[in-house]
Amino acid sequence: MPGLDVMLEKLKILADSAKYDVSCSSSGADRTKTNKMGTAAVSGICHSWSADGRCISLLKILFSNRCVYDCEYCVNRRSADVQRASFEPEELAKLTIEFYKRNYIEGLFLSSAVEVSPDYTAERILKALSLLREKYGFSGYIHAKIIPGVSAELVRQIGMQADRLSVNIELPTKESLAILAPQKKAAGILTPMRQITNTMKEQKSLKGAGNRFSKLKQGNDYLLNGMALPTAVREQEAKYGMVPYDKGSLHRFAPAGQTTQMIIGATPESDRQIIRMSESLYKKFQMKRVYFSAYIPVVSSSKLPALLTPPPLLREHRLYQADWLLRFYGFSAEELLDEDSPFFDLELDPKVTWALRHLELFPLEINKVSMEELLRIPGVGNISAMRIVRQRRLGAVTFDDLKKIGVVVKRARYFITCNGKYYGAGDIASECIRERMLSQEKIRSGLLPREKEEQLSLFGSERRNLLYEPKEAARGLLV
């Protein structure tokens, strides 16, 4: 390939620049074509974990890391001293299809810094995606980032080439955005989100997040701003000068929906603010996912945590668990956290924390409560709740049945009764249950080193000597 060294250097720079972007997922992609390569309908392409537990790959890369913006938190900001590079559209399309033919990847995740202007960058991205789809016949999964401030027509055209679109909301509040990214405006972020949602509504492909138990799903008559569908469609077309979709192209606009990403820990917002913003995005824009990215201090700034501050990975994990409760268990953000408790307990998952704060609702009789109440019991998931309901039609569920059904009994036992008997062993008091659960599940010992002075090592022999040598030496044994 001509200019191979140059291409490899660009690949190295732009792949490294994309590593902090976390919003990669291909769930919901369904772009099937005959006589094309790389259909995503069967395999579910992603660089992370698919719904069935497989790890699958995609090319995650920036189109350019040359940026005219100077966001404080960004490693690619204008004032950062890093190597810069940009692809040409033909280069990126050629690189992607060659990687695909060699089975290196199954799809493309494409983002970019703002080179020259949002529209200039979006036009080049659109050209690359068009070459990939039309010239090289690639029908695999493509996730494209929409840059805030880009024109509506470019959003529409990129959406016709990509399976999934995402616009990063970046920070949980407008105030934080104004401090850390003053060149980005909330309106510039929300406008393309609204356009994507309305376009998907027009083509009747808007699905949103969650399952039948979620409160995030809206009825079929849902549309932004409460407008009736025909009026909204007419206004949309009039505003953007769009030609109504013909029947053959209805399925083509972003069939896997839209996602967004929020940085956690760079600004002082509480978990309650973050999860409420997340819920609002699900409801307003019917997002497929809201991703959280623990801030990794790579930039020295008086407006950001110090460089040696560890990234809040456990906090990020608790937020993802809370997000799961919103999407699949029927919880609301107001239920999970309130003004008196604005942060999640890092030692226990949010469902257990919620249950401990509402012990007046427990214990629940496993043979009598509704499906919605079953889903509120820690240790009972969607599938085990449905199995319990099904089993109750045949006969009473016993405590011994619960483990076979799939309930995490060591967690659920504190919150249930079976045929009138409580199996929690002890008082139904928040602190007592909390301590027993932490001790039983060895959560604290799993999170922390065994000795404060101990440095965890990859090498088993060093760890063994550190733990056992003093005891063996004291007993007069050779070590």
Side-chain angles (χ1 to χ4, degrees):
M1 182 184 297
L4 182 60
D5 292 341
V6 176
M7 179 72 83
L8 289 176
E9 185 65 15
K10 287 184 178 181
L11 180 63
K12 178 183 174 185
I13 294 170
L14 295 170
D16 186 68
S17 298
K19 65 185 177 185
Y20 296 106
D21 208 317
V22 298
S23 53
C24 301
S25 174
S26 65
S27 59
D30 188 14
R31 183 183 288 268
T32 53
K33 295 282 185 182
T34 55
N35 301 321
K36 300 284 186 179
M37 289 177 285
T39 174
V42 176
S43 56
I45 297 167
C46 181
H47 86 300
S48 184
W49 300 99
S50 65
D52 59 1
R54 291 173 300 116
C55 185
I56 45 186
S57 62
L58 52 81
L59 175 60
K60 181 181 176 184
I61 202 162
L62 294 189
F63 190 87
S64 172
N65 70 344
R66 295 190 174 104
C67 196
V68 297
Y69 289 178
D70 204 32
C71 306
E72 292 282 342
Y73 53 81
C74 185
V75 70
N76 299 311
R77 71 192 195 282
R78 184 183 61 214
S79 58
D81 182 19
V82 296
Q83 285 184 293
R84 305 286 181 177
S86 297
F87 281 118
E88 293 299 322
E90 177 64 35
E91 286 178 334
L92 182 64
K94 182 76 173 175
L95 181 72
T96 304
I97 199 66
E98 292 297 331
F99 270 35
Y100 178 77
K101 287 178 177 176
R102 287 162 177 77
N103 204 26
Y104 296 164
I105 60 166
E106 296 167 272
L108 172 68
F109 175 90
L110 182 60
S111 185
S112 182
V114 185
E115 186 178 14
V116 182
S117 71
D119 278 355
Y120 174 84
T121 309
E123 285 175 2
R124 289 165 61 79
I125 288 175
L126 174 61
K127 187 173 181 181
L129 298 185
S130 300
L131 287 170
L132 195 54
R133 291 287 195 211
E134 295 161 16
K135 179 178 177 180
Y136 294 106
F138 181 70
S139 188
Y141 175 76
I142 294 178
H143 180 159
K145 286 278 182 181
I146 297 296
I147 298 170
V150 73
S151 68
E153 182 56 24
L154 284 170
V155 173
R156 190 183 74 85
Q157 291 190 41
I158 291 174
M160 299 297 281
Q161 301 294 344
D163 293 281
R164 170 164 289 176
L165 298 177
S166 59
V167 189
N168 282 356
I169 197 164
E170 305 290 13
L171 296 162
T173 62
K174 288 193 292 186
E175 292 75 17
S176 294
L177 190 69
I179 294 171
L180 297 184
Q183 292 164 298
K184 292 182 178 177
K185 305 300 179 188
I189 296 172
L190 299 180
T191 300
M193 283 184 182
R194 187 175 295 109
Q195 181 190 346
I196 294 166
T197 306
N198 278 342
T199 306
M200 294 181 67
K201 184 65 183 177
E202 291 173 36
Q203 66 178 21
K204 302 184 186 303
S205 64
L206 190 60
K207 297 177 181 176
N211 60 4
R212 62 193 175 100
F213 304 116
S214 173
K215 296 177 182 176
L216 302 175
K217 282 190 174 298
Q218 305 291 326
N220 292 332
D221 57 346
Y222 170 78
L223 197 69
L224 296 180
N225 305 321
M227 295 181 292
L229 179 60
T231 306
V233 173
R234 286 197 297 272
E235 290 182 358
Q236 182 86 356
E237 292 169 356
K239 183 175 181 180
Y240 301 120
M242 292 163 55
V243 177
Y245 291 98
D246 59 53
K247 187 176 179 181
S249 66
L250 286 178
H251 67 284
R252 292 185 58 197
F253 184 89
Q258 68 166 324
T259 63
T260 190
Q261 174 184 331
M262 210 183 306
I263 300 170
I264 305 304
T267 48
E269 284 84 5
S270 66
D271 291 347
R272 182 169 181 257
Q273 288 175 287
I274 293 167
I275 206 69
R276 286 181 69 186
M277 170 58 77
S278 176
E279 183 184 59
S280 173
L281 291 168
Y282 280 124
K283 287 184 174 179
K284 285 185 178 177
F285 302 110
Q286 290 289 283
M287 292 279 172
K288 195 73 177 176
R289 286 291 303 274
V290 175
Y291 290 90
F292 306 110
S293 174
Y295 174 68
I296 300 173
V298 293
V299 177
S300 179
S301 169
S302 59
K303 301 174 183 175
L304 293 168
L307 286 178
L308 295 179
T309 305
L313 298 177
L314 188 51
R315 185 185 178 194
E316 177 193 86
H317 178 60
R318 295 300 180 216
L319 286 166
Y320 273 122
Q321 289 179 319
D323 177 82
W324 192 265
L325 294 179
L326 295 182
R327 292 188 291 131
F328 297 103
Y329 284 77
F331 281 84
S332 67
E334 286 298 328
E335 288 179 293
L336 293 173
L337 292 170
D338 54 33
E339 290 184 359
D340 296 330
S341 306
F343 289 92
F344 290 113
D345 186 337
L346 294 182
E347 292 185 314
L348 293 171
D349 72 63
K351 193 176 180 183
V352 172
T353 305
W354 174 84
L356 292 177
R357 285 196 288 109
H358 295 85
L359 277 181
E360 72 279 4
L361 303 176
F362 299 98
L364 295 173
E365 170 54 47
I366 207 80
N367 284 296
K368 294 182 179 178
V369 296
S370 65
M371 172 65 88
E372 289 73 21
E373 290 172 308
L374 282 173
L375 291 174
R376 298 294 171 118
I377 301 172
V380 177
N382 277 199
I383 293 176
S384 53
M386 287 189 282
R387 286 173 178 168
I388 289 171
V389 171
R390 191 165 59 236
Q391 177 65 25
R392 289 192 313 205
R393 294 173 188 156
L394 303 176
V397 178
T398 66
F399 188 73
D400 292 335
D401 292 334
L402 293 178
K403 191 170 183 180
K404 299 173 186 173
I405 285 173
V407 173
V408 183
V409 174
K410 64 180 180 181
R411 203 172 301 163
R413 66 190 310 154
Y414 303 105
F415 305 97
I416 61 170
T417 59
C418 261
N419 299 310
K421 185 177 179 182
Y422 180 65
Y423 291 85
D427 297 333
I428 307 178
S430 176
E431 277 306 312
C432 294
I433 295 175
R434 186 173 190 279
E435 288 302 317
R436 287 202 293 271
M437 292 184 76
L438 288 174
S439 172
Q440 185 179 13
E441 299 190 21
K442 300 179 181 178
I443 293 174
R444 283 177 176 160
S445 60
L447 292 173
L448 301 172
R450 294 186 179 184
E451 302 291 342
K452 290 182 180 178
E453 300 80 9
E454 179 186 355
Q455 173 64 52
L456 293 178
S457 171
L458 291 174
F459 304 100
S461 59
E462 290 182 12
R463 180 178 174 81
R464 178 188 177 281
N465 291 339
L466 189 64
L467 293 175
Y468 297 107
E469 276 185 7
K471 295 178 183 176
E472 293 174 348
R475 291 163 57 195
L477 301 175
L478 293 175
V479 292

